[in-house]
């Protein structure tokens, strides 16, 4: 491999977005760049982008702000990576990406950047959705207002976005009572499928999906993020189950040999344990 003369001025320059863009250009340099970075495409780096986004979320959940600083850097690098590939293909570059988001944010916040005023946060959100609707019409790339909701989103997030979009045009329960009734209705339909002598697995899956969708709607009406609520529930479960595992390890017991009743008794103790350990 031919040696390359590195720009020592840029290498020694203080950290900045310009320096990061330069680093990316060196990594993708056709002759002297990194073999791994050079062979990547939009498609191949998507999994890394998703992974970095979840690591940002995890650092926030843990309130580990030192780690958050690092993870945000990793996520920013993903944006620069996509922009570099696009620049090589003469589609767009990082500057046009920044231009686009600046223009959109200013346009969607007239109450901040112009004299336009809104009476409430609800009106602000309505204006935001109206602006997004205008963009969809201008793009003229869809027949439904739901078309641009990504199928690749986690299912809970996707359901929430669908429900919010429909609520914006008035297709929504007027109060939480209707939402609760819908959850009970869907649960009853699941119970009905489970009670059949010949279980139809496809029908059961459909009814369970309807139940989950209704529960997501309930979280939305309660102004709770369904994704975060389930994530926190999973973390809580893991911590409580870890208590059961520690007990078995400390007592030299085989967890596989413990009865369900015994495990349940330990679960109750785990729930009563100090919040500092299992909250």
């Amino acid at each position: 491999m031919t040696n390359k003369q590195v720009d020592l001025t840029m290498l020694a320059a203080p950290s900045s977005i310009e320096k990061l863009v330069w680093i990316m250009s060196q990594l993708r340099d056709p002759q002297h760049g990194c073999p791994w970075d050079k062979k990547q495409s939009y498609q191949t780096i998507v999994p890394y982008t998703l992974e970095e986004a979840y690591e940002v979320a995890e650092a926030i959940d843990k309130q580990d702000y030192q780690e958050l600083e690092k993870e945000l850097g990793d996520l920013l690098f993903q944006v620069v990576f996509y922009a570099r590939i696009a620049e090589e293909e003469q589609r767009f570059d990082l500057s046009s990406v920044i231009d686009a988001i600046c223009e959109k944010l200013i346009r969607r916040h007239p109450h901040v950047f112009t004299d336009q005023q809104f009476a409430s946060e609800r009106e602000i959100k309505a204006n935001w959705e109206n602006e997004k609707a205008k963009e969809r019409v201008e793009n003229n790339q869809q027949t439904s207002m739901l078309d641009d909701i990504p199928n690749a989103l986690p299912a809970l997030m996707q359901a929430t976005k669908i429900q919010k979009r429909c609520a914006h045009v008035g297709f929504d329960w007027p109060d939480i009572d209707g939402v609760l009734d819908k959850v009970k209705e869907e649960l009853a339909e699941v119970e009905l499928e489970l009670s059949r002598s010949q279980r139809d697995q496809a029908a059961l899956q459909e009814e369970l999906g309807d139940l989950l969708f209704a529960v997501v709607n309930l979280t939305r009406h309660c102004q709770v993020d369904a994704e975060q609520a389930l994530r926190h529930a999973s973390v809580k479960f893991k911590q409580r189950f870890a208590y059961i595992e520690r007990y078995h390890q400390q007592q030299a017991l085989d967890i596989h040999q413990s009865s369900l009743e015994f495990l349940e008794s330990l679960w109750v103790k785990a729930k009563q344990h100090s919040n500092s350990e299992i909250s």
Side-chain angles (χ1 to χ4, degrees):
M1 183 177 291
T2 308
N3 289 330
K4 181 188 179 183
Q5 199 72 20
V6 176
D7 186 341
L8 298 178
T9 304
M10 281 299 298
L11 200 61
S15 297
S16 64
I17 190 68
E18 289 78 14
K19 184 173 182 178
L20 182 57
V21 170
W22 172 79
I23 291 172
M24 185 72 254
S25 70
Q26 303 307 293
L27 295 175
R28 292 276 297 182
D29 183 272
Q31 279 189 293
H32 306 289
C34 169
W36 185 88
D37 289 284
K38 288 193 296 181
K39 71 179 182 180
Q40 300 311 308
S41 66
Y42 304 112
Q43 291 77 16
T44 62
I45 60 176
V46 165
Y48 301 101
T49 307
L50 295 173
E51 181 181 339
E52 297 300 350
Y54 281 117
E55 288 179 358
V56 166
E58 184 173 1
I60 292 172
D61 282 343
K62 292 180 177 179
Q63 298 185 13
D64 187 341
Y65 300 112
Q66 188 172 11
E67 187 65 21
L68 176 60
E69 178 183 29
K70 299 174 184 176
E71 298 301 346
L72 286 172
D74 292 341
L75 188 57
L76 175 60
F77 179 72
Q78 298 296 307
V79 176
V80 173
F81 209 146
Y82 288 113
R84 177 63 194 184
I85 295 173
E87 183 177 1
E88 292 168 0
E89 297 176 353
Q90 298 184 331
R91 300 178 186 275
F92 57 82
D93 59 17
L94 187 63
S95 294
S96 60
V97 170
I98 294 171
D99 285 344
I101 187 60
C102 287
E103 186 278 329
K104 182 162 63 175
L105 288 172
I106 292 171
R107 175 166 40 81
R108 289 186 181 179
H109 293 83
H111 53 294
V112 175
F113 299 105
T114 73
D115 293 333
Q116 187 172 352
Q117 297 296 318
F118 298 106
S120 65
E121 185 176 342
R122 185 173 182 177
E123 287 190 8
I124 292 173
K125 290 181 179 178
N127 176 75
W128 178 275
E129 291 298 333
N130 288 334
E131 286 295 329
K132 289 173 69 175
K134 290 178 186 176
E135 291 167 11
R136 290 193 293 272
V137 171
E138 290 170 359
N139 289 337
N140 197 28
Q141 295 177 340
Q142 60 191 83
T143 57
S144 168
M145 61 187 293
L146 305 179
D147 281 352
D148 66 336
I149 296 176
N151 290 325
L153 278 177
L156 293 179
M157 291 177 64
Q158 185 185 55
T160 301
K161 279 187 170 291
I162 290 170
Q163 292 166 3
K164 284 183 176 179
R165 193 72 60 81
C166 292
H168 182 63
V169 297
F171 190 63
D172 194 15
W173 297 102
D175 54 52
I176 203 166
D177 292 336
V179 184
L180 281 169
D181 289 341
K182 188 63 177 176
V183 171
K184 294 172 185 175
E185 175 190 326
E186 298 298 350
L187 178 58
E189 292 181 3
V190 169
E191 291 173 338
L192 177 62
E193 286 299 328
L194 289 171
S195 69
R196 299 188 191 280
S197 56
Q198 293 285 331
R199 182 177 296 178
D200 184 335
Q201 198 65 20
L204 179 59
Q205 176 176 302
E206 183 173 345
E207 296 301 344
L208 284 168
D210 291 344
L211 176 59
L212 287 169
F213 194 85
V215 171
V216 170
N217 207 15
L218 178 61
T219 65
R220 183 178 64 84
H221 275 260
C222 292
Q223 298 184 333
V224 171
D225 183 277
E227 193 79 21
Q228 289 299 319
L230 183 56
R231 189 186 306 277
H232 291 158
S234 296
V235 169
K236 184 169 62 177
F237 185 96
K238 286 169 59 179
Q239 291 171 333
R240 288 175 176 173
F241 191 76
Y243 175 93
I244 296 174
E245 291 178 306
R246 285 197 302 273
Y247 181 90
H248 281 78
Q249 291 167 358
Q250 291 165 359
Q251 301 300 320
L253 297 174
D254 183 355
I255 194 171
H256 300 90
Q257 301 302 316
S258 293
S259 67
L260 178 58
E261 291 75 18
F262 181 61
L263 293 175
E264 285 283 358
S265 69
L266 290 177
W267 181 264
V268 172
K269 289 182 180 179
K271 290 177 68 175
Q272 296 170 346
H273 211 266
S274 65
N275 289 334
S276 63
E277 290 192 28
I278 64 168
S279 61

